Amino acid sequence: MRYSKHREEILNIIKNIDSHPTVEDIYISMREKIPNISLGTVYRNISILYEMGLIKKIPLNNRPDRFDKTLTNHYHMICKKCNQVYDIFSDELNMLNKNISNEVGHNIESSDITFYGICHECNLKEGK
Amino acid sequence: MRYSKHREEILNIIKNIDSHPTVEDIYISMREKIPNISLGTVYRNISILYEMGLIKKIPLNNRPDRFDKTLTNHYHMICKKCNQVYDIFSDELNMLNKNISNEVGHNIESSDITFYGICHECNLKEGK
DNA sequence: TTTCTAAATAGTAATTGTTACTATTTAGAA
DNA sequence: TTCTAAATAGTAACAATTACTATTTAGAAA
């Protein structure tokens, strides 16, 4: 694969941001550095970075995909109040595919899991 | 809400089919009974039936939503070989939201979970 | 039973997130 | 320095879904 400044910058943005940006977020951020970058270029390179295993993809129902710099095994929760995406690390979840495989008899290899609820911060604000 | 023959038929189709149809599947099936039914009508009524809690929705990444007549708490697995959608009933999954809530400190209310792998049938065919 | 009105509809256009296409530019090997 | 395939910008196409608009209809009220 040939070197691409665009691709390097896209990876930099994802690696340096402390959130789970969409393609649109990354595109907007990229235009500050490379003003005439094409949206297609952003899509293509994010896809390549994902295929290379350098970033993770967070597929969400009926909303744009988000991307994640954290490569260790984890899942996500979206807060219904503040819409923030939280990383969820959990031993129980790490064992889930194997456990459910045994329980149901299918050979489960992977899983998409998204949790919905109210995050710790928003719970505090609510005065609960 | 006013009675609608269309809506009744859509519910019938979903309740009588032994798979997890897409809107397109239901639309095709509906046209056999009501040939000039509009796709928008199918979308709107499925959405209403879902809001009423008469059917469940299965949101899948980058594929059209599927719908489910089974209302009891359960999840789904998609076989990578045959692409069939299987219902997954599991006590561990039923307790997952509560368990993970305790583990991570957020108040998780619901979760979307989809498993991917090779189903029992396809595993047998493979001669494993 | 007829009239009336808001709900439901058919048909079409618009929207959103994404991929495909094409002419141009460019990394980097020869 | 030349050359070629990879990468790009810009645009069009796409798939799933929602919105819009004129027409039809359920069913309540007269």
Side-chain angles (χ1 to χ4, degrees):
Chain A
M1 173 156 337
R2 237 174 50 177
Y3 172 79
S4 149
K5 183 71 184 164
H6 295 61
R7 185 154 57 237
E8 187 180 48
E9 279 297 343
I10 288 170
L11 184 57
N12 277 341
I13 285 170
I14 297 171
K15 287 294 185 185
N16 289 322
I17 201 170
D18 253 346
S19 64
H20 303 83
T22 62
V23 170
E24 189 68 20
D25 294 335
I26 296 160
Y27 175 56
I28 289 168
S29 194
M30 278 299 284
R31 278 198 301 190
E32 288 169 18
K33 304 195 170 190
I34 302 168
N36 69 330
I37 191 171
S38 165
L39 181 58
T41 297
V42 178
Y43 267 101
R44 187 170 27 76
N45 279 303
I46 287 176
S47 176
I48 288 168
L49 293 170
Y50 171 68
E51 294 299 330
M52 293 171 76
L54 298 177
I55 57 174
K56 281 207 168 190
K57 192 199 284 200
I58 311 171
L60 301 175
N61 324 138
N62 316 324
R63 319 192 206 188
D65 287 345
R66 288 169 174 272
F67 293 87
D68 197 329
K69 64 179 169 185
T70 304
L71 300 178
T72 52
N73 201 28
H74 70 286
Y75 297 89
H76 297 93
M77 175 189 135
I78 304 178
C79 178
K80 288 179 180 178
K81 278 267 164 64
C82 65
N83 271 302
Q84 222 184 299
V85 178
Y86 289 89
D87 289 325
I88 303 281
F89 298 88
S90 155
D91 288 340
E92 181 174 357
L93 292 179
N94 292 344
M95 288 160 31
L96 198 63
N97 292 348
K98 187 166 283 181
N99 287 353
I100 302 299
S101 287
N102 292 338
E103 202 174 338
V104 301
H106 302 304
N107 183 18
I108 293 169
E109 296 170 357
S110 65
S111 47
D112 286 330
I113 304 181
T114 310
F115 294 103
Y116 300 90
I118 312 289
C119 74
H120 185 63
E121 299 298 309
C122 287
N123 261 328
L124 289 179
K125 278 179 202 156
E126 256 188 0
K128 264 193 175 173
Chain B
M1 176 161 327
R2 239 171 52 175
Y3 171 80
S4 148
K5 184 70 183 167
H6 295 62
R7 185 155 56 236
E8 187 180 48
E9 279 297 343
I10 287 170
L11 184 57
N12 278 340
I13 284 170
I14 296 171
K15 288 294 184 184
N16 289 321
I17 201 171
D18 254 347
S19 65
H20 302 83
T22 62
V23 170
E24 189 68 19
D25 294 334
I26 295 161
Y27 175 56
I28 289 167
S29 195
M30 278 299 285
R31 278 198 301 190
E32 289 169 17
K33 305 196 170 190
I34 302 169
N36 70 330
I37 190 171
S38 165
L39 181 58
T41 298
V42 179
Y43 268 101
R44 187 168 28 74
N45 279 302
I46 287 175
S47 177
I48 289 168
L49 292 169
Y50 171 67
E51 294 298 332
M52 292 172 76
L54 297 176
I55 59 174
K56 280 206 170 193
K57 192 199 283 199
I58 311 172
L60 301 174
N61 326 138
N62 317 324
R63 318 192 206 188
D65 287 344
R66 289 170 175 272
F67 293 86
D68 196 329
K69 63 179 171 188
T70 304
L71 300 180
T72 53
N73 200 29
H74 70 286
Y75 297 91
H76 297 94
M77 176 190 134
I78 302 178
C79 178
K80 287 180 181 177
K81 280 269 163 63
C82 64
N83 271 301
Q84 223 184 297
V85 178
Y86 290 89
D87 290 323
I88 303 280
F89 298 88
S90 155
D91 288 339
E92 181 175 356
L93 292 179
N94 292 343
M95 288 162 27
L96 198 63
N97 292 348
K98 187 167 286 182
N99 287 353
I100 302 300
S101 287
N102 292 337
E103 204 174 336
V104 300
H106 301 305
N107 183 18
I108 293 169
E109 295 169 356
S110 65
S111 47
D112 285 330
I113 304 181
T114 309
F115 295 103
Y116 300 88
I118 312 290
C119 74
H120 185 64
E121 300 297 308
C122 288
N123 261 328
L124 289 177
K125 279 179 203 156
E126 255 188 2
K128 265 198 175 169

